[in-house]
Amino acid sequence: MTDAATLTRKADFPGLVAPDGSPWHYLDTAASAQKPQAVVDAMNRALGSDYATVHRGVYGRSAQMTLGYEAARRRAADFMGARSENEIVFVRGATEAINLVAASWGMANIGEGDRIVLSTLEHHSNIVPWQMVAERTGAQIDVCPLTEDHRIDLGALEALLTPRTKLVSLAHVSNVLGSVLDARAAADLAHSVGAKIMLDGCQAAPRMALDMAALDCDFYAFSGHKLYGPTGIGVLWAREDILDAMPPWQGGGAMIDRVTFENTTYAPPPQRFEAGTPMITEAIALHAAIDYVDALGPDQLFAHESALARQLRDELRSLNSVTLFGPEESAGIVSFAIEGVHPHDLGTILDEENVAIRAGHHCAQPLMDHLGVTATARASFGLYSDETDIAALLRGIDRTQRIFG
């Protein structure tokens, strides 16, 4: 096991080099992580010499690819502390996972007058699917406010819950603020009124140890590309008994038991929710990404990135005209604004300095309204980040302030 001080592995990531060979300071990991060479190699093998379809072929390479695909499911289950690989549904990403739960479980279990609880800091992907359910069923959405330091207010959550609350859906870690939810406490509150709880784990999975039994949630989702894996794949975890009771979401091949024109019977989970040819090569590459992250240790990742976030917050606090958002203890994400400088202008100037940040509303417009801004600048760290990235960002901010000063 490595320690936080030695985590940085820039050499493993071919994307961290600018076209002229100089370092590229990538501070947009919360949007999508760079990929280690091990993941690139796994994807190349899966697309090339190892490629075949899965589940249907009787020839040897198809059988081998099927073993690899299902091994990725078992690896994801182990990574999440799931009881069984049957609790792991492969999806295109967390957005699809939340939409699946909303369209299948939500439409079957939420009715007129029922309540769905979200929070002020949610990503649009954890707002819009539930709005669709509410519009179709006559349910109502309740919004849990934030504490003064921009965390989900669990006291306010408890006050919102009623016997009509059917679902609570919250971000485990905010993609804008880096604030960490006390997920087990939130689950206990939801279950106290008989509600289910879903956690958006996109920002938690790449930097925190996961244990579904300890969290005691009902649904959990994350995207592979934020976990140093490929795009086009994500994971939905749900308790096996809940998946068993959920109707299929999409119809087609692979999710059936038997089809006639008179009637169709469906395969058990997780196959019931994986219609069509699956994301074969992406699953193989996700397996490699999980192996890479797990070898470093999620607790070490959290310590490394949190320490960098603290350092950056301290540096920014010393600058004139800078406003910081979010709690002091952040999971590797720092959002800020500079007076008189639009975040997009800052991002453009930083790009000239080989520094990549995110500027905008971060798919969290209700949160922007709460913060009283239209956009923020966001620097987000990964396991490959170090103090040189902070120094480059600060140089770019200094240049920007001189331009706009």
Side-chain angles (χ1 to χ4, degrees):
M1 184 68 68
T2 185
D3 60 41
T6 60
L7 258 178
T8 307
R9 294 187 166 205
K10 290 185 184 293
D12 289 353
F13 293 82
L16 294 179
V17 179
D20 64 359
S22 60
W24 190 47
H25 301 281
Y26 186 71
L27 293 171
D28 197 20
T29 299
S32 193
Q34 292 293 314
K35 318 307 172 193
Q37 190 63 49
V39 170
V40 176
D41 291 344
M43 189 79 168
N44 285 339
R45 287 193 302 271
L47 283 167
S49 60
D50 293 351
Y51 187 75
T53 190
V54 297
H55 294 149
R56 299 177 183 87
V58 297
Y59 48 91
R61 191 185 291 183
S62 175
Q64 285 301 116
M65 204 61 160
T66 298
L67 290 173
Y69 180 77
E70 292 302 330
R73 193 189 307 276
R74 290 192 298 276
R75 187 67 181 93
D78 179 66
F79 178 69
M80 300 181 75
R83 287 179 287 266
S84 164
E85 65 265 31
N86 292 331
E87 297 179 328
I88 300 296
V89 179
F90 283 135
V91 288
R92 288 183 299 164
T95 297
E96 183 168 270
I98 296 170
N99 275 276
L100 190 164
V101 174
S104 176
W105 183 90
M107 291 302 295
N109 291 277
I110 296 173
E112 186 172 0
D114 287 338
R115 320 293 295 195
I116 302 165
V117 179
L118 311 175
S119 84
T120 300
L121 58 69
E122 299 307 316
H123 190 282
H124 295 165
S125 293
N126 198 31
I127 298 174
V128 179
W130 302 115
Q131 288 178 328
M132 292 177 173
V133 170
E135 289 168 359
R136 293 168 185 168
T137 63
Q140 300 294 316
I141 291 177
D142 296 316
V143 181
C144 180
L146 308 182
T147 59
E148 289 187 6
D149 65 346
H150 299 155
R151 301 176 187 273
I152 295 174
D153 189 334
L154 293 182
L157 173 63
E158 183 174 16
L160 282 172
L161 297 173
T162 77
R164 296 305 302 267
T165 305
K166 298 300 182 184
L167 181 82
V168 176
S169 193
L170 304 172
H172 196 173
V173 173
S174 167
N175 73 305
V176 177
L177 306 169
S179 50
V180 180
L181 173 71
D182 185 339
R184 179 55 188 261
D188 289 344
L189 289 173
H191 293 155
S192 71
V193 295
K196 298 289 190 290
I197 183 167
M198 180 163 196
L199 296 176
D200 170 1
C202 279
Q203 301 301 332
R207 54 180 59 87
M208 294 173 64
L210 300 181
D211 185 337
M212 296 301 102
L215 291 176
D216 197 29
C217 57
D218 301 290
F219 305 98
Y220 198 98
F222 68 84
S223 294
H225 70 99
K226 297 181 190 291
L227 188 67
Y228 305 94
T231 56
I233 190 167
V235 170
L236 169 66
W237 171 90
R239 294 207 326 262
E240 199 165 359
D241 60 315
I242 296 177
L243 286 176
D244 281 337
M246 286 169 53
W249 178 40
Q250 295 176 320
M255 50 75 67
I256 54 89
D257 175 32
R258 176 167 171 73
V259 175
T260 68
F261 281 109
E262 291 72 34
N263 185 53
T264 294
T265 55
Y266 303 113
Q271 287 75 24
R272 182 186 304 165
F273 304 105
E274 296 181 7
T277 301
M279 51 288 286
I280 303 166
T281 58
E282 291 86 351
I284 300 296
L286 178 61
H287 188 158
I290 291 174
D291 284 348
Y292 186 92
V293 169
D294 227 15
L296 296 175
D299 290 338
Q300 301 300 321
L301 300 182
F302 187 86
H304 175 72
E305 295 168 31
S306 296
L308 290 172
R310 283 194 299 272
Q311 180 182 342
L312 178 57
R313 288 183 70 90
D314 288 343
E315 295 281 3
L316 291 176
R317 190 177 291 109
S318 68
L319 301 180
N320 293 329
S321 306
V322 172
T323 300
L324 287 164
F325 304 102
E328 288 302 307
E329 290 300 314
S330 162
I333 297 171
V334 179
S335 280
F336 61 97
I338 302 175
E339 185 179 348
V341 181
H342 194 283
H344 289 161
D345 292 329
L346 174 62
T348 299
I349 294 171
L350 288 173
D351 184 44
E352 297 171 357
E353 302 287 329
N354 280 355
V355 178
I357 65 163
R358 179 55 58 95
H361 55 65
H362 317 295
C363 295
Q365 287 176 313
L367 176 57
M368 296 297 108
D369 292 340
H370 173 76
L371 298 176
V373 297
T374 58
T376 71
R378 183 188 69 187
S380 52
F381 297 105
L383 65 87
Y384 37 64
S385 304
D386 60 21
E387 293 182 353
T388 66
D389 301 308
I390 293 178
L393 173 62
L394 293 173
R395 286 195 300 270
I397 290 174
D398 178 67
R399 180 186 167 208
T400 303
Q401 288 184 309
R402 283 187 279 108
I403 290 172
F404 283 87

